[in-house]
């Protein structure tokens, strides 16, 4: 098959799979339905790997498969671009999507409806990252959104419907603003494809420039909601905490990052895109630190993990924004972008692992409060997970996110902080903010690990027997698979980093002469950060610490706050850009 | 002059919807308001697309002065997406009503956190 045809496989195969799964729902009963459903899922989630393998030699040297869908004229049809970035985001999506679906066989929700929506969401991910047309991006983001609202509400908990509703309202409203921004750009450039917009933006006078700036702010604001950068994070904790575990893993691991990387395609079109990246970078650093403080205060285990997703996406946005600010085409930009992607990939793996293993543990125990649940290891063993694989999965994930060598979070975090300090504006400030956030991360995972400590004080009551009788094996396989990836990712980081830079720019780059991921300095830094984390944990469990954290946990949150923060963030972005665009 | 009045009316419609989403406590009213701002943007697109000409956009020899067809095509898609979002949000509203017995968002929040 030609590369043009293969490039669409990551979008079309999941859609085909979803159609097959719906057939299972409509026409088959019993065993036949299961076989047809699994065939559909195999087509949609695992077969695209073949296409990705064949596409690797096409994109590795920096070239891309581009064109217009259906061979229409470029002004009318939808342009697409499948390049190294699209390839990598697809790899990220299919790695975690495959593992999460496998885990859903153990932890639920089961059934063809869930599988079909899951597949449609995967297709929308592929479409979001390979589109080169602004309106098509709008459609992809909407499909992505709608499928994730449904998946969040597929949990039986009553809070899940409310979380899904809040997410829907704020995200749909933001997408209307996105449409307004799209309208502004269409009016001044007469085009919707990225190429056409870039060409039209070349010659603008004062009035049109202001329109361009405001339109861009609306687009960035709408995407920033999906990425959950501070102050636009309010919808995420509920949605991610209350969704089924497999969905939480995909939402946190893949869904919040894809729009971010799609946004970098838009920002490079604008002369003022660099300033937008700079502001996003600062917002990212603030997100990383603030979210980890809130995370430390949580008592629901999955909500704690959800706040960590915000914090980790803060790291990624900070580095990504710095890459946009120095220019994606430059060497520094490529290195920063590669580090941002590396952390996005590694975060997807370890956060997915954490959600799945913690999910298995709290399901077995029937209790989610980190202050009440103890002795989860023996509970796991009793529930059928004989070797307590979920506990070891948690251990690997927690060591990864706390940046302990040789796990993968260690290398990506050191790469990001090193490069930010070296190339970023106010880099050393960002370096310290992220390092302090790292100590907070270690502290909150020490706190979270208490659910596995032996139940000496008999805090845990007698837990109900496991209610849903899904087989344990698929979930265990998913956890082992992701754990192995965490360790391999850490050990082979130099090789992966080189490949990522090659996919981004066509040339493989290294971090710099004499830089080693596992240098003594980096190892010592990791040790200090973990030590500081232990200290923070002790402070946080003290009387003053707990009182303060209780205040943070019970701060007022409202539906209106989501919208007010959106308006403020878009206005701040427009103000910042107008200030920098003024001659 | 006419142009400005049309734009002003659309802006008012948009503000009305945004106010409804923010200030109304009833989730059905919030959903209606979401439809309002969506419609305001749809009308804006169609209105601005019709400014250029006044003929139907059929690309044949000898036809000139057509309206810009792209905004219309886009808005068809946007309307379809709007319908999907509305349907889904109404389904969620139904589930929330079944769980909490009310459409008031603050009461639902209290009810849900109590459970």
């Amino acid at each position: 098959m030609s590369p043009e045809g293969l490039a669409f496989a990551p979008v079309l195969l999941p859609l085909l799979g979803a159609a097959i799964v719906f057939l299972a729902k409509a026409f088959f009963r019993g065993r036949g339905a299961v076989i047809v459903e699994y065939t559909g899922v195999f087509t949609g989630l695992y077969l695209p790997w073949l296409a990705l393998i064949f596409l690797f030699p096409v994109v590795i040297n920096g070239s891309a498969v581009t064109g217009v869908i259906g061979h229409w004229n470029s002004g009318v049809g939808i342009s697409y671009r499948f390049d190294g970035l699209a390839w990598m985001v697809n790899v990220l999506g299919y790695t975690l999507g495959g593992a999460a679906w496998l885990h859903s066989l153990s932890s639920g929700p089961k059934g063809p409806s869930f599988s079909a929506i899951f597949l449609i969401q995967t297709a929308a991910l592929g479409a979001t990252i390979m589109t080169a047309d602004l309106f098509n991006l709008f459609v992809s983001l909407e499909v992505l959104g709608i499928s994730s609202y449904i998946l969040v509400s597929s949990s039986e908990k009553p809070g899940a419907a409310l979380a899904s509703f809040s997410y829907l309202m704020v995200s749909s409203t933001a997408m209307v603003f996105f449409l307004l921004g799209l309208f502004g750009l269409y009016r001044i450039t007469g085009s919707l494809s990225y190429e056409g917009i870039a060409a039209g933006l070349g010659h603008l006078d004062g009035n049109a420039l202001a329109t361009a700036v405001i339109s861009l702010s609306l687009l960035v604001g709408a995407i920033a909601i999906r990425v959950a950068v501070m102050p636009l994070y309010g919808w995420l904790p509920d949605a991610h905490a209350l969704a089924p575990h497999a969905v939480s893993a995909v939402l946190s691991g893949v869904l919040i990052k894809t729009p971010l990387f799609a946004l970098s395609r838009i920002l490079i079109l604008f002369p003022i895109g660099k300033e937008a990246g700079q502001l996003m970078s600062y917002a990212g650093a603030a997100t990383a630190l603030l979210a980890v403080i809130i995370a430390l205060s949580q008592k629901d285990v999955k909500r704690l993990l959800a706040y960590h997703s915000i914090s980790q996406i803060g790291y990624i946005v900070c580095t990504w924004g710095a890459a946009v600010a120095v220019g994606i085409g430059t060497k520094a930009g490529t290195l920063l972008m590669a580090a941002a992607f590396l952390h996005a990939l590694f975060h997807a793996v370890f956060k997915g692992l954490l959600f799945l293993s913690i999910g298995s543990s709290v399901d077995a125990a029937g209790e989610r409060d980190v202050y009440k649940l103890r002795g989860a290891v023996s509970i796991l063993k009793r529930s059928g997970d004989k070797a307590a694989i979920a506990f070891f999965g948690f251990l690997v994930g927690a060591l990864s996110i706390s940046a302990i060598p040789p796990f993968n979070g260690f290398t990506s975090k050191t790469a990001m902080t090193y490069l930010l300090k070296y190339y970023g504006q106010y880099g050393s400030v960002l370096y310290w903010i992220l390092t302090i956030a790292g100590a907070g991360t270690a502290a909150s995972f020490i706190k979270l690990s208490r659910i596995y400590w032996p139940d000496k004080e008999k805090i845990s009551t007698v837990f109900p027997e496991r209610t849903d009788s899904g087989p344990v094996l698929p979930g265990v396989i998913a956890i082992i698979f992701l754990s192995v990836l965490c360790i391999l990712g850490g050990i082979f980081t130099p090789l992966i980093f080189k490949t990522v830079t090659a996919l981004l720019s066509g040339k493989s780059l290294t971090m710099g002469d004499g830089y080693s991921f596992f240098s003594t300095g980096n190892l010592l830094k990791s040790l200090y950060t973990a030590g500081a984390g232990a200290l923070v944990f002790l402070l946080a469990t003290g009387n003053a610490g707990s009182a303060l954290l209780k205040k943070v946990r019970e701060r007022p949150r409202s539906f209106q706050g989501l919208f007010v923060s959106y308006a403020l963030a878009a206005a701040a972005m427009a103000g910042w850009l107008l200030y920098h665009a003024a001659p | 002059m006419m142009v400005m009045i049309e734009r002003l009316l659309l802006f008012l419609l948009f503000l009305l919807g945004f106010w409804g989403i923010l200030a109304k406590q009833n989730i059905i009213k919030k959903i209606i308001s979401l439809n309002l701002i969506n419609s305001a943007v749809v009308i804006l697109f169609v209105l601005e697309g019709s400014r250029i000409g006044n003929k139907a956009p059929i690309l044949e020899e000898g036809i000139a002065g057509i309206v810009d067809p792209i905004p219309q095509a886009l808005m068809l898609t946007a309307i379809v997406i709007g319908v999907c979002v509305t349907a889904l949000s109404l389904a969620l509203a139904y589930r929330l009503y079944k769980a909490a017995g009310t459409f008031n968002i603050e009461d639902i929040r209290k009810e849900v956190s109590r459970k």
Side-chain angles (χ1 to χ4, degrees), chain A residues 375-519:
Chain A
V377 176
S378 56
I379 295 171
L380 272 172
K381 282 180 184 161
R382 261 187 288 146
S383 77
D385 185 358
K386 294 275 184 305
I389 296 293
F391 167 65
F392 290 105
F394 165 78
L395 219 54
V396 171
L399 291 173
S400 297
I401 197 173
S402 313
I404 306 294
F407 298 98
N408 60 11
F410 164 72
T411 50
S412 57
K413 278 192 186 176
T414 44
M416 283 191 302
T417 46
Y418 173 81
L419 288 170
L420 274 173
K421 196 174 178 182
Y422 207 79
Y423 295 112
Q425 203 176 5
Y426 298 115
S428 40
V429 179
L430 298 178
Y431 172 88
W432 279 109
I433 292 179
L434 293 187
T435 306
I436 294 168
T441 308
S444 51
F445 278 89
I446 298 174
K447 172 177 169 177
L448 190 53
S449 71
R450 288 197 294 184
I451 68 169
Y452 294 103
W453 293 3
D455 189 8
K456 264 188 234 155
E457 299 158 28
K458 302 281 176 222
I459 309 173
S460 299
T461 43
V462 179
F463 295 113
E465 285 298 302
R466 196 185 158 88
T467 45
D468 66 290
S469 52
V472 175
L473 189 66
V476 168
I477 294 175
I479 288 172
I480 293 177
F481 171 68
L482 291 176
S483 307
V484 170
L485 284 189
C486 272
I487 297 166
L488 289 183
I491 295 170
F492 291 106
T493 299
L495 178 69
I496 300 172
F497 189 81
K498 252 195 244 174
T499 317
V500 171
T501 55
L503 283 164
L504 284 173
S505 69
K507 292 191 296 280
S508 56
L509 301 169
T510 51
M511 289 283 290
D513 290 331
Y515 182 89
S516 159
F517 286 101
F518 298 101
S519 66

Side-chain angles (χ1 to χ4, degrees), chain A residues 75 135 142 149 153 155 159 162 164-165 168-169 172-173 176-177 179-180 183 186-187 192 559-560 563, chain B residues 7 14 18 21-22 27 30 34 37 41 44-45 48 68 70 74 77 81 85 88-89 92 95-96 112:
Chain A
F135 190 76
E142 284 283 23
Y149 315 143
S153 66
S155 160
L162 182 62
S164 172
F165 183 79
L168 182 149
M169 287 308 282
S172 298
T173 310
V176 174
F177 282 98
L179 215 49
L180 272 179
F183 173 73
Y186 180 68
R187 241 187 67 176
L192 288 169
F559 189 80
Q560 280 80 2
F563 291 88
Chain B
R7 283 186 186 159
F14 190 87
F18 197 63
I21 292 176
L22 271 181
I27 53 178
K30 279 186 196 293
L34 181 63
I37 58 168
V41 174
L44 177 72
F45 264 81
E48 299 286 334
D68 187 353
I70 292 188
L74 300 186
T77 318
I81 292 175
V85 171
L88 179 62
S89 52
L92 287 173
R95 263 187 66 175
L96 288 174
V112 162

Side-chain angles (χ1 to χ4, degrees), chain A residues 350-369:
Chain A
F350 63 65
K351 185 52 69 64
L353 176 63
L354 282 168
F355 264 117
L356 297 183
S357 52
I358 287 275
S360 294
S361 310
V362 296
D363 272 359
E367 172 64 60
R368 297 162 55 120
D369 191 326

Side-chain angles (χ1 to χ4, degrees), chain A residues 222-238:
Chain A
I223 291 181
I225 281 203
R226 293 297 176 89
V227 180
V229 189
M230 291 269 176
L232 302 171
Y233 73 99
W235 60 270
L236 186 143
D238 283 338

Side-chain angles (χ1 to χ4, degrees), chain A residues 20-41:
Chain A
I20 298 175
V21 172
F22 275 130
L23 281 183
K25 187 178 162 64
F27 296 113
F28 294 90
R29 290 284 171 274
R31 211 173 162 71
V34 174
I35 294 172
V36 176
E37 185 194 338
Y38 287 6
T39 315
V41 172

